[in-house]
Amino acid sequence: MRKVVKSLFAVVMSMSLITGCSSGNSSSTTNAAQGANSSGKTELSFYYPVAVGGPLTKIVDGMAEEFNKENPDITVKPVYTGSYQDTTTKVQAAVQGKTPPDVAVMLSTELHTMMDMDAILPLDDFIAKDGGSEYVNDFFPGFLANSQVDGKTYSIPFQRSTIVLYYNKDAFKEVGLDPEKPPTSWDELVQYAAKLKKDGRYGVEIPSSSFTYWMFQALALQNGKNLMSEDGKKVFFDTPENVEALQFWVDLSKKHQVMPEGVNEWATVPSDFLEGKTAMMFHTTGNLTNVKKSAKFDFGVAFLPAKKNYGSPTGGGNFYMFKGTDAKKQEAAWKFIRFMTEPKRAAQWSVDTGYVATRKSAYAEESMKQYVKDFPAAAVARDQLEYGHAELSTHNNGKVTKLLNDTLQSVITGQSEPAEALKKAQEEADKMLAPFNK
Amino acid sequence: MAEVELRRISKMYGSQKVVNEVSTRILPGEFFVLVGPSGCGKSTTLRMIAGLEEISTGELLIGGKPMNQVPPSGRNISMVFQNYALYPHLTVKDNILFGLQVRKVDKAEQGKRLERVAEMLGIAHLLQRKPKELSGGQRQRVALGRAIVSQHPICLMDEPLSNLDAKLRGHMRTEIRRLQQELGITMIYVTHDQVEAMTMADRMMVLRDGEVQQVGKPLDVYNHPANLFVAEFTGAPPMNTVPAIWLADQAGIELAGQRFLPLPMFHGIKDQTPVVLGLRPESLQPALEGQSMDASCQLPVTVQGVEILGSETIVEFTVGDKLWKAKWNGQWHCKRGETMHVRFDPAQLNVFDGETGKNLAVTTN
Amino acid sequence: MGELRAKWKVNMYAWLLLLPSLIFLLLFTFYPVIQTFILSFHQADLGSPEPFFNGIDNYKQMVEDEVFWKVLTNNIWFAIGTVPTSVALALAMALFANKAIRGKSFIRTAYFYPTVVPMIAVANIWLFIYTPEYGALSHVMEWFGKGDMNWLGDQKNVMWAMIFMVIWKEAGYFMIFYLAGLQNISQELYESASMEGASSWTVFRRITFPLLMPTTMFVSIIAFTNSFKLVDHLVIMTKGGPDNASNLLLYYIYETAFSFWDQGMASALTIVMVVLLLLVAAFQFFGMDKKIHYN
């Protein structure tokens, strides 16, 4: 008899363990789902990543709090979700679990992927109801390019960046170059770099890990055209212009020997610049604040040098809203997006983080004027936006991007030739995109 | 050749002395037993002879040659360990031959020796087995075989029988003794069991706290223990003892303030010296009616307990404030509380110094 | 009859005790494996809104996928590079740490320390070491008058750099198992061998090494599976680059699943990996086990 009691006890223990877990789960999900209808207060979940250094979570939390104060009937709960990649993964999991977040910041390039998953809402209805296109048109076109397909807008630019040229003014002076005249063309870039090169210092560095395709895109844009069609269904990797662009990149190290050979680590390039190991670098504006704080020398920021024209792709994260949430919450989420992108907030966000302010009107804000005045480099990024274009984003984006990255690295490390490699990449990308061109 | 000599050998661990100036000479072909309670230093002494422990001070000679600096393998000795130290992954055959293989003994010679040893120990059928497939007794034999096969003239054994049950232990005692005699090896054998020492040894050394208590033939040690410790360590049950006072002018002893026993004269002992009397249990016999005996060699006792073991009977009674045991042949149906007389031969009485515990009759050591 | 009932009772009791872990095992191991297996026969990528059955298409595509073969070869080299060396090094370190008279605990701690550091932190440390121009290794090479090397940015070097780092990271962990194994070998065996005059090499070859075989076996399996499981460093250091030169199977699965969003292919790749690991484990257990002595 005692044995039976004992074994029953064991079973009950194990059961309670299991139910303990599952009930914990279910209660948390129901909480989220019920958020809307309890006591008329709308609860919003907001996923956001952090991709640059600094106390960004604090700033985001502060902004959400401000919003909650202004809108007592809405409570936004910001959820920090790691890197961009992690955030996408979490959003994807939430979408599949039928509990999408109400609003999230993800890479602008996730557009086609999210559409293919049928996960995101077009925002045109909200825009129309809320003052119409005036709001949207205030954003820089280079930023907005990754938001729109077939005339519909799917995301709102938020934390955006672009590539600029950083250069060491002290080094320029040292070799007799005018520190106020950075290179404006590819030829000048090579000339200057050759002059700046000495033992222990390279002329220029273009990072070739992580965002290899992005850097290549800059060169391609300067030589004429973007790498993909606007609808993300076609890519143009192997055009003669792009082969030339890639050849130029390779030549910087192989032929002119003004750049280190092999792959230059994304995160190492800014350190090289700050250490004086390279006199110039291509890098994201996301590093402005970091370089400003850490540089022990006078540095300048300039447009990326031109071939046929200036050109630089944009990058960074946009606000997205998701299908499958109820209408009331969608209204609230839209309100939140509007709040976060108000000119004065966009200006403040830019000042606090170093991201480029996404709206033209933000630059009319007093805080922004002051910032640009104290730190003219911030204006360079804005002015270059005139030549800003959409970041590489296609259907099957992950695969296509990796393909291009691998191809570029293979060429940069001397394993293959530009023309041949890009041709092969083009063929494979066509295959990857075939299902979307039916 | 196979003589082992210890000259004032000591072992220190830091400031602690665990073996203190042990000296002795072990003769070729002798079965020499180191015996004592645990912690007495007997194993350490053996390990110093083997070369497994460094000798702190003193000198070790084997075959007349100093051995202090010679590694174990150069000392011409084999050793059987307490837990046999069989290599668990090797077969019995490889275990036995391990040493010969290491020494690169000729293959044919190896085979010959293996065969002989296996036959001698009756383990020929076990050669292909692994140790875990053997019983305790079989493992013991393999360990012995490994020692024998080396044909070293000296063999050391460290409590080799302690893992066996009582019956098997008795059996192995005789077997080891037989092998030692057959092969003519010098055996140095460590045990805490005085029965093993008594039954196997040619000579034994009793150790306590790193000090030698007595060295001698088992019977000499038994009959004339050098001190109280040896007296109480040997024999089962051990020697009965009781404090008493030496009366010089009467050449006798006062026991517990009452008894007076005439004793042979001990010279040079002062009157009124406290002493301890010791008598082996078998030295106390019932004083039967009709047997005329000197009354002074009789003790009136009251029986406290009786154990009848079949072939012998143990009778318990108090003498002074000590419980004594007497061992009588046959079956004696005494009753608790019964009073009777026990007698003894004064020649078998041992008298120890009350302070130092030394046997006043034994002069050696 | 009564006996049968008693037996049933005993069995039921056993099953009841096993139940909790069994449920977790089913829920979190077998069920996902089966689901993955099923999904591997489906097309489930961004191009197909609803997954549909496509037979062995995923596996066919995989065979034609150059990157798959590359990561698989990489992984095999990675295993060949890390497993024997880290195991041998662990054994050597354990023997040394076990013998050391002075500073025993310091030596153990020093050896074990890399294991305690999370892989992410290790990757960051080594990222610095491998940085060209001003990384620690660069400085060392400068002293020797050698030219600078781009360890992570060159296809020929990157795998060696990874292998070296992982050996550094893992050997200390395996050493702990060997230390435990050494403690289990009775001192008497060594004393017995020393009585016979066996050299330390003979003692190692004939006693220590065979008696440590169970440990070696266990550690080898762990090391081998680790060589397939450890990919954290790729996230930090190379993202599998340059051009997949340092990419490994598991990271490729991760990329396929969470960057390409090709669930079907990711499932197929996962199945390949599971089968591969099972085969190796089976070979090691059933093939080598017979030659090993267990206490």
Side-chain angles (χ1 to χ4, degrees):
Chain A
M1 188 57 208
R2 262 184 78 184
K3 253 190 182 164
V4 176
V5 174
K6 260 195 204 164
S7 52
L8 269 175
F9 181 70
V11 174
V12 171
M13 283 288 289
S14 61
M15 287 317 228
S16 66
L17 253 173
I18 295 156
T19 51
C21 292
S22 59
S23 69
N25 280 339
S26 61
S27 69
S28 66
T29 48
T30 45
N31 267 353
Q34 283 167 354
N37 42 33
S38 66
S39 74
K41 204 163 176 173
T42 310
E43 258 184 37
L44 292 183
S45 56
F46 165 42
Y47 287 10
Y48 71 98
V50 170
V52 298
L56 254 68
T57 50
K58 229 177 179 174
I59 301 172
V60 172
D61 287 348
M63 287 162 89
E65 202 144 301
E66 214 180 311
F67 176 79
N68 291 342
K69 239 181 247 163
E70 269 184 35
N71 301 277
D73 55 331
I74 305 170
T75 311
V76 172
K77 285 192 170 162
V79 183
Y80 166 58
T81 39
S83 67
Y84 274 120
Q85 176 73 61
D86 294 341
T87 303
T88 311
T89 310
K90 277 172 190 151
V91 167
Q92 161 77 354
V95 166
Q96 283 187 349
K98 307 276 185 246
T99 53
D102 301 301
V103 56
V105 171
M106 289 191 293
L107 282 176
S108 62
T109 52
E110 301 288 359
L111 176 65
H112 297 292
T113 303
M114 284 296 141
M115 281 177 69
D116 288 337
M117 287 177 184
D118 196 24
I120 50 173
L121 275 179
L123 305 174
D124 301 275
D125 289 351
F126 300 102
I127 295 166
K129 265 192 269 174
D130 201 8
S133 54
E134 193 191 326
Y135 166 66
V136 177
N137 291 340
D138 190 33
F139 288 93
F140 290 100
F143 288 145
L144 212 52
N146 280 112
S147 300
Q148 296 175 326
V149 181
D150 297 337
K152 279 190 177 174
T153 305
Y154 287 89
S155 65
I156 301 296
F158 176 54
Q159 46 188 36
R160 299 303 296 268
S161 52
T162 184
I163 309 169
V164 289
L165 178 78
Y166 293 77
Y167 66 100
N168 184 333
K169 288 188 177 175
D170 290 358
F172 268 52
K173 275 181 230 163
E174 181 194 312
V175 299
L177 289 168
D178 183 350
E180 298 314 320
K181 283 195 178 148
T184 54
S185 68
W186 285 9
D187 292 340
E188 275 181 19
L189 180 70
V190 173
Q191 273 172 35
Y192 287 25
K195 243 186 185 169
L196 288 160
K197 197 199 167 193
K198 66 171 189 187
D199 218 23
R201 180 174 76 198
Y202 282 98
V204 63
E205 281 183 14
I206 301 176
S208 40
S209 75
S210 306
F211 301 100
T212 326
Y213 71 93
W214 205 36
M215 292 293 152
F216 179 59
Q217 234 189 317
L219 298 173
L221 285 165
Q222 290 151 20
N223 203 20
K225 244 176 75 174
N226 213 339
L227 293 174
M228 72 295 175
S229 64
E230 195 196 306
D231 62 5
K233 291 183 178 173
K234 288 205 162 61
V235 294
F236 317 110
F237 290 165
D238 62 345
T239 63
E241 291 82 8
N242 291 343
V243 173
E244 190 188 0
L246 183 51
Q247 188 63 53
F248 173 70
W249 192 351
V250 173
D251 283 349
L252 281 176
S253 47
K254 287 267 156 62
K255 188 170 153 197
H256 309 300
Q257 296 186 337
V258 292
M259 188 165 83
E261 282 196 33
V263 165
N264 290 298
E265 205 44 51
W266 171 261
T268 315
V269 169
S271 315
D272 285 357
F273 181 71
L274 292 170
E275 295 273 327
K277 299 281 181 185
T278 179
M280 296 183 280
M281 68 164 176
F282 283 30
H283 222 275
T284 169
T285 49
N287 250 312
L288 261 177
T289 312
N290 174 31
V291 173
K292 184 181 161 197
K293 258 189 226 151
S294 319
K296 290 180 218 83
F297 49 83
D298 200 8
F299 76 96
V301 172
F303 283 16
L304 294 179
K307 173 71 178 171
K308 289 181 180 155
N309 47 259
Y310 289 116
S312 176
T314 59
N318 288 3
F319 281 109
Y320 291 84
M321 280 167 61
F322 299 89
K323 291 187 174 170
T325 53
D326 66 49
K328 203 172 164 197
K329 287 179 127 189
Q330 292 179 359
E331 293 285 343
W334 176 252
K335 216 169 180 179
F336 178 62
I337 294 174
R338 279 300 297 256
F339 173 88
M340 294 294 274
T341 51
E342 271 172 32
K344 78 165 192 248
R345 223 156 265 112
Q348 194 55 45
W349 180 246
S350 170
V351 172
D352 288 344
T353 62
Y355 280 113
V356 184
T358 47
R359 299 177 65 168
K360 292 162 196 158
S361 54
Y363 287 86
E365 291 289 325
E366 217 31 65
S367 61
M368 198 67 198
K369 277 182 182 161
Q370 191 60 41
Y371 177 62
V372 171
K373 200 172 144 201
D374 295 344
F375 188 48
V380 174
R382 177 199 58 190
D383 296 340
Q384 193 185 236
L385 280 176
E386 193 185 323
Y387 311 99
H389 292 271
E391 184 178 3
L392 177 64
S393 170
T394 64
H395 291 274
N396 224 338
N397 193 49
K399 235 173 181 165
V400 173
T401 305
K402 179 175 163 72
L403 168 70
L404 181 57
N405 273 347
D406 289 350
T407 304
L408 295 170
Q409 288 190 340
S410 146
V411 174
I412 287 165
T413 53
Q415 302 294 308
S416 48
E417 289 302 312
E420 195 186 327
L422 286 175
K423 183 160 174 275
K424 202 173 148 214
Q426 179 70 42
E427 280 164 12
E428 284 190 40
D430 287 345
K431 262 188 247 164
M432 291 170 184
L433 292 171
F436 306 94
N437 283 309
K438 275 175 195 162
Chain B
M1 171 61 192
E3 181 185 277
V4 178
E5 190 180 349
L6 285 67
R7 286 186 188 161
R8 295 160 65 95
I9 282 181
S10 299
K11 179 71 191 178
M12 319 271 294
Y13 288 120
S15 61
Q16 196 170 352
K17 211 164 203 175
V18 293
V19 174
N20 190 12
E21 305 214 334
V22 171
S23 297
T24 194
R25 175 181 280 202
I26 299 155
L27 302 172
E30 190 175 23
F31 199 116
F32 191 85
V33 175
L34 298 171
V35 67
S38 61
C40 71
K42 57 191 188 297
S43 277
T44 309
T45 307
L46 189 78
R47 291 167 63 82
M48 284 193 284
I49 297 171
L52 298 172
E53 298 277 350
E54 216 174 309
I55 297 167
S56 301
T57 61
E59 207 179 349
L60 171 73
L61 295 108
I62 295 176
K65 287 182 201 135
M67 283 289 154
N68 286 38
Q69 302 306 323
V70 177
S73 56
R75 298 188 182 193
N76 238 344
I77 46 187
S78 56
M79 184 159 174
V80 175
F81 291 85
Q82 182 168 10
N83 297 312
Y84 316 138
L86 298 181
Y87 304 119
H89 58 295
L90 299 180
T91 58
V92 167
K93 179 181 159 194
D94 286 336
N95 260 292
I96 292 176
L97 291 180
F98 184 84
L100 301 186
Q101 288 164 354
V102 166
R103 282 165 208 269
K104 304 215 164 57
V105 171
D106 175 62
K107 277 262 155 83
E109 170 71 11
Q110 283 186 20
K112 233 187 283 171
R113 288 205 210 171
L114 175 69
E115 201 179 325
R116 191 164 148 251
V117 167
E119 194 190 344
M120 198 184 285
L121 293 164
I123 52 172
H125 61 295
L126 303 174
L127 291 180
Q128 296 310 324
R129 293 205 195 161
K130 296 251 175 97
K132 71 172 167 191
E133 299 159 339
L134 302 178
S135 69
Q138 289 169 332
R139 284 180 208 184
Q140 172 68 67
R141 279 165 206 274
V142 176
L144 281 176
R146 200 164 59 174
I148 292 168
V149 83
S150 69
Q151 297 190 347
H152 289 312
I154 302 165
C155 181
L156 311 182
M157 292 196 179
D158 189 2
E159 306 247 13
L161 304 183
S162 57
N163 287 331
L164 302 180
D165 62 57
K167 201 173 161 190
L168 202 52
R169 208 181 303 161
H171 181 71
M172 288 309 291
R173 281 207 298 259
T174 30
E175 181 139 347
I176 290 174
R177 184 75 172 119
R178 175 181 65 82
L179 278 169
Q180 182 262 338
Q181 280 169 345
E182 262 175 39
L183 299 167
I185 335 173
T186 309
M187 179 73 80
I188 306 176
Y189 186 105
V190 161
T191 181
H192 66 276
D193 181 355
Q194 55 93 20
V195 179
E196 273 177 35
M198 294 296 296
T199 52
M200 298 171 86
D202 288 326
R203 279 194 307 150
M204 61 197 267
M205 173 190 274
V206 185
L207 285 158
R208 180 203 190 189
D209 296 339
E211 309 255 4
V212 177
Q213 304 295 308
Q214 191 170 7
V215 179
K217 290 182 179 156
L219 281 184
D220 288 347
V221 172
Y222 186 82
N223 292 334
H224 308 290
N227 55 36
L228 258 179
F229 171 76
V230 178
E232 287 177 323
F233 184 74
T234 50
M239 185 178 273
N240 299 306
T241 59
V242 65
I245 307 282
W246 170 253
L247 304 170
D249 48 344
Q250 297 165 40
I253 268 174
E254 187 189 302
L255 179 61
Q258 292 175 354
R259 301 235 69 81
F260 168 70
L261 303 165
L263 276 177
M265 199 56 194
F266 289 109
H267 294 287
I269 301 177
K270 274 191 218 145
D271 190 28
Q272 298 293 321
T273 307
V275 294
V276 175
L277 290 184
L279 264 176
R280 291 282 173 200
E282 62 275 15
S283 302
L284 288 157
Q285 291 298 325
L288 300 175
E289 277 172 51
Q291 275 181 323
S292 78
M293 230 6 206
D294 189 343
S296 64
C297 287
Q298 287 197 12
L299 289 167
V301 295
T302 309
V303 175
Q304 301 275 328
V306 185
E307 292 172 25
I308 304 175
L309 302 172
S311 66
E312 57 191 27
T313 303
I314 309 278
V315 182
E316 292 176 356
F317 45 85
T318 48
V319 174
D321 54 355
K322 293 287 197 111
L323 185 69
W324 280 29
K325 290 184 178 182
K327 188 155 81 180
W328 301 340
N329 283 330
Q331 301 172 359
W332 295 78
H333 297 273
C334 306
K335 284 199 187 85
R336 203 178 133 82
E338 187 182 331
T339 55
M340 60 191 306
H341 280 78
V342 293
R343 61 178 175 84
F344 59 92
D345 181 353
Q348 291 173 334
L349 192 65
N350 283 285
V351 183
F352 303 96
D353 188 308
E355 272 172 32
T356 65
K358 275 192 179 166
N359 194 330
L360 296 171
V362 176
T363 46
T364 50
N365 206 346
Chain C
M1 190 64 200
E3 199 181 307
L4 215 83
R5 248 185 74 181
K7 206 173 162 188
W8 182 82
K9 251 171 112 180
V10 169
N11 277 343
M12 185 193 73
Y13 193 50
W15 280 112
L16 283 174
L17 284 175
L18 284 173
L19 194 65
S21 53
L22 217 57
I23 288 175
F24 279 100
L25 201 66
L26 284 171
L27 221 58
F28 295 111
T29 306
F30 294 138
Y31 176 72
V33 167
I34 290 165
Q35 280 297 318
T36 307
F37 184 70
I38 294 170
L39 196 55
S40 78
F41 297 106
H42 285 73
Q43 176 132 5
D45 57 11
L46 289 172
S48 26
E50 281 300 318
F52 61 89
F53 182 79
N54 68 349
I56 57 165
D57 273 9
N58 285 328
Y59 293 93
K60 269 190 195 156
Q61 263 183 51
M62 190 194 303
V63 173
E64 285 162 17
D65 181 7
E66 278 174 37
V67 180
F68 166 71
W69 289 111
K70 181 145 191 189
V71 296
L72 195 64
T73 338
N74 277 352
N75 224 141
I76 289 166
W77 282 115
F78 188 63
I80 293 173
T82 54
V83 177
T85 322
S86 59
V87 171
L89 195 64
L91 178 55
M93 291 187 331
L95 289 173
F96 181 69
N98 208 34
K99 277 248 170 75
I101 296 164
R102 243 168 267 235
K104 207 173 213 172
S105 58
F106 172 77
I107 291 171
R108 286 183 189 192
T109 314
Y111 283 162
F112 189 60
Y113 148 80
T115 302
V116 192
V117 185
M119 194 64 201
I120 298 293
V122 167
N124 276 310
I125 294 167
W126 284 82
L127 194 59
F128 168 70
I129 292 176
Y130 286 139
T131 303
E133 299 191 71
Y134 55 88
L137 195 57
S138 250
H139 283 301
V140 173
M141 304 237 329
E142 238 166 71
W143 290 335
F144 289 102
K146 297 259 178 176
D148 206 16
M149 261 201 166
N150 191 347
W151 286 100
L152 299 180
D154 189 308
Q155 268 134 327
K156 289 188 291 293
N157 302 336
V158 66
M159 200 41 125
W160 291 112
M162 295 289 155
I163 286 172
F164 190 83
M165 179 190 77
V166 167
I167 290 171
W168 175 83
K169 161 91 176 138
E170 297 239 278
Y173 180 54
F174 300 146
M175 176 195 73
I176 296 298
F177 292 104
Y178 273 122
L179 273 178
L182 284 172
Q183 309 279 311
N184 272 335
I185 300 177
S186 157
Q187 205 53 38
E188 273 192 356
L189 298 185
Y190 292 114
E191 290 180 345
S192 174
S194 82
M195 297 292 300
E196 309 286 3
S199 67
S200 37
W201 169 242
T202 308
V203 168
F204 174 76
R205 191 174 56 87
R206 297 213 48 193
I207 301 174
T208 311
F209 189 70
L211 286 178
L212 284 176
M213 269 317 270
T215 312
T216 304
M217 163 95 172
F218 174 74
V219 164
S220 301
I221 292 177
I222 301 261
F224 186 83
T225 50
N226 271 2
S227 73
F228 279 83
K229 286 193 304 198
L230 264 187
V231 294
D232 315 23
H233 58 285
L234 294 180
V235 180
I236 303 285
M237 297 176 82
T238 63
K239 301 255 191 303
D243 189 18
N244 293 310
S246 64
N247 207 350
L248 299 174
L249 187 54
L250 185 58
Y251 189 70
Y252 189 53
I253 293 175
Y254 171 78
E255 283 185 316
T256 308
F258 298 112
S259 178
F260 309 164
W261 298 106
D262 191 343
Q263 311 283 358
M265 179 59 88
S267 300
L269 286 165
T270 306
I271 294 298
V272 168
M273 174 148 163
V274 167
V275 168
L276 209 71
L277 289 180
L278 278 178
L279 278 179
V280 169
F283 167 76
Q284 281 179 309
F285 268 118
F286 298 114
M288 292 180 42
D289 214 29
K290 295 202 178 79
K291 295 180 192 154
I292 292 177
H293 161 80
Y294 286 98
N295 273 322

